Amino acid sequence: MLILLNEINISAAQFRKLVTLYSIGSTIIVVPAAIAITADAHQDAWIASLFGVASGIGLVLLFTSLGKMFPTLTLMEMNEKILGKLFGKIVSAVFVLSNLFISSQVLYYVGNFLTTQILPYTPPTAIHIAFMGVVIVGLRLGIEVIARSAEILFPWFVGLFGLLILSMIPQIKIEHIQPVLEIHPKAFIRAVLTFLSMSSLTYTILLMIFPSHTPDMKKATQSFYVGNIAGGLVMVTLILLGILVLGPYYSQITMFPSYELGRRIDVGNFLQGIEVVIAILWFITLFFKLCIYFYATLLGFANVFHIKDYKLFSFPVALIMITLSLIVYPSVSYQKDWDTKTWIPYSLLVGILYPLFLLIAGFIQNKKRRSSNG
């Protein structure tokens, strides 16, 4: 076990806020359009999202069960304990490399959003470097500092999100969600999987924090469930607002439906043009999502190569991530093709099959150990 990890403690309240902000992350911008395009859910996308939130509870049960089986270990250490030192190292290395790749995708969304909506004349490289600079500073201060930051920024997120909802109420048109339950069963399943692939199926990475950094197992487990539900309901609300205000067709053809909601705010010809609210919401959640991915990547590297301090190579790994973020998606069409054909199978592998295999193998291993001791 890495020496520094023994001193890291995150409270249940902090972990709950981290899970909530992480689960929203980049999905606050991506999910509404992704469900409409990938699954053709149209006006029933919010119903599929509700089923996605409910299904996410079962996934949280899987992750917490694995965590309770090895309460003092991170995911990388579980790999070695369950799979053996050699094979565990190989699986950990593959997982770390995949995290590095996914982190670069998350960073890509930052540059893509800003250069297309807010800063069209700014090079994406400059945006990626600036954003990663903040993430590096946070991670070098430690994951405990990131958790405290989540506790401080969470009320601001709730306040801005509440402002967005209240501002949208005058523009809601109920007829946009009619007819209800018109979606085809296959399209409905695709919509649910799309939602899960961008929310609960990515929780495997949280096993780098839970339960090894959360001493109160019972409260941390409850926080995991509450954070998942809270983050999911935020996404359902945004998807429903997009349909009610923009209409199912416009929600499907626009690249960033949530940001478009901010543009539509007009209260008494006074409160207008505050789409920056959505941008701020997104920056807050995306910061924490990228911090957790980056932390898991650094900690994974440290575990594989037996380095005690993961902060030592934060700069070189960040440079690799910035470089990858510029080439990971050659075009928007490639991005949509990846999200449609590759991302969902990948998320099912990492988010269900991988932890389920560890849980079953760990259960068999513990049972054999108890039998031999008995």
Side-chain angles (χ1 to χ4, degrees):
M1 180 181 291
L2 299 179
I3 295 176
L4 292 178
L5 299 186
N6 295 329
E7 304 172 0
I8 298 175
N9 291 318
I10 296 174
S11 70
Q14 292 170 345
F15 183 63
R16 180 173 63 251
K17 294 174 176 64
L18 270 179
V19 173
T20 303
L21 295 174
Y22 170 83
S23 63
I24 299 169
S26 55
T27 57
I28 195 173
I29 290 289
V30 177
V31 160
I35 291 181
I37 294 172
T38 304
D40 293 325
H42 303 298
Q43 71 271 13
D44 289 327
W46 67 279
I47 301 177
S49 301
L50 275 177
F51 273 81
V53 175
S55 302
I57 296 174
L59 291 172
V60 173
L61 176 62
L62 170 62
F63 299 127
T64 54
S65 298
L66 182 58
K68 289 176 182 178
M69 188 175 291
F70 304 99
T72 61
L73 305 182
T74 65
L75 180 62
M76 302 295 98
E77 293 162 338
M78 292 180 196
N79 287 335
E80 292 189 34
K81 186 173 183 63
I82 296 172
L83 306 176
K85 190 170 184 179
L86 177 60
F87 191 58
K89 288 284 186 187
I90 294 173
V91 172
S92 295
V94 173
F95 186 76
V96 168
L97 290 175
S98 69
N99 281 342
L100 182 62
F101 180 74
I102 301 302
S103 300
S104 66
Q105 291 178 321
V106 175
L107 189 57
Y108 160 85
Y109 286 121
V110 178
N112 184 45
F113 172 73
L114 285 176
T115 54
T116 56
Q117 303 295 324
I118 301 176
L119 303 170
Y121 301 108
T122 304
T125 307
I127 295 172
H128 295 183
I129 291 173
F131 200 86
M132 275 306 300
V134 180
V135 173
I136 291 172
V137 170
L139 262 299
R140 289 184 71 84
L141 291 173
I143 193 65
E144 286 180 304
V145 174
I146 298 298
R148 295 185 195 123
S149 300
E151 204 167 25
I152 294 171
L153 291 175
F154 190 77
W156 290 91
F157 174 85
V158 173
L160 290 173
F161 186 69
L163 174 63
L164 174 67
I165 294 175
L166 292 174
S167 302
M168 287 287 96
I169 290 177
Q171 300 189 47
I172 287 177
K173 297 179 181 179
I174 299 297
E175 58 269 21
H176 282 166
I177 63 170
Q178 299 172 345
V180 180
L181 294 177
E182 192 184 41
I183 186 172
H184 190 275
K186 289 184 179 180
F188 182 82
I189 294 173
R190 286 199 301 270
V192 173
L193 288 176
T194 301
F195 182 88
L196 286 173
S197 70
M198 298 183 179
S199 56
S200 304
L201 284 173
T202 65
Y203 286 165
T204 308
I205 202 169
L206 292 177
L207 291 174
M208 297 296 286
I209 298 174
F210 172 90
S212 58
H213 297 351
T214 52
D216 194 331
M217 172 66 77
K218 183 177 180 180
K219 289 184 178 179
T221 301
Q222 294 173 350
S223 295
F224 209 150
Y225 283 102
V226 174
N228 169 68
I229 294 172
L233 291 179
V234 167
M235 294 313 307
V236 171
T237 304
L238 277 176
I239 292 169
L240 183 58
L241 273 179
I243 295 170
L244 289 172
V245 175
L246 304 177
Y249 175 73
Y250 198 80
S251 295
Q252 181 172 339
I253 64 173
T254 187
M255 185 177 294
F256 304 111
S258 300
Y259 186 70
E260 186 63 29
L261 283 175
R263 288 181 171 177
R264 297 293 183 92
I265 293 176
D266 184 1
V267 180
N269 292 323
F270 171 73
L271 191 63
Q272 298 176 334
I274 59 170
E275 60 270 14
V276 70
V277 168
I278 283 290
I280 293 173
L281 288 174
W282 191 55
F283 291 145
I284 290 174
T285 58
L286 196 66
F287 168 75
F288 290 104
K289 185 161 192 170
L290 192 55
C291 278
I292 291 175
Y293 266 113
F294 193 47
Y295 172 74
T297 302
L298 294 178
L299 196 60
F301 271 123
N303 185 274
V304 171
F305 295 106
H306 295 285
I307 301 173
K308 293 182 179 180
D309 191 352
Y310 67 88
K311 302 173 186 178
L312 293 175
F313 45 90
S314 57
F315 283 106
V317 173
L319 290 176
I320 295 172
M321 189 184 300
I322 291 170
T323 304
L324 283 175
S325 68
L326 300 174
I327 60 176
V328 65
Y329 288 134
S331 64
V332 175
S333 60
Y334 181 91
Q335 173 200 337
K336 292 180 179 178
D337 190 65
W338 164 272
D339 292 341
T340 304
K341 299 178 181 179
T342 308
W343 173 248
I344 293 178
Y346 169 82
S347 62
L348 289 172
L349 173 64
V350 176
I352 295 182
L353 297 181
Y354 171 43
L356 184 60
F357 173 76
L358 290 180
L359 182 64
I360 294 172
F363 176 78
I364 295 173
Q365 189 180 84
N366 288 342
K367 190 174 181 179
K368 288 182 177 179
R369 188 180 296 114
R370 286 193 297 266
S371 299
S372 61
N373 293 335

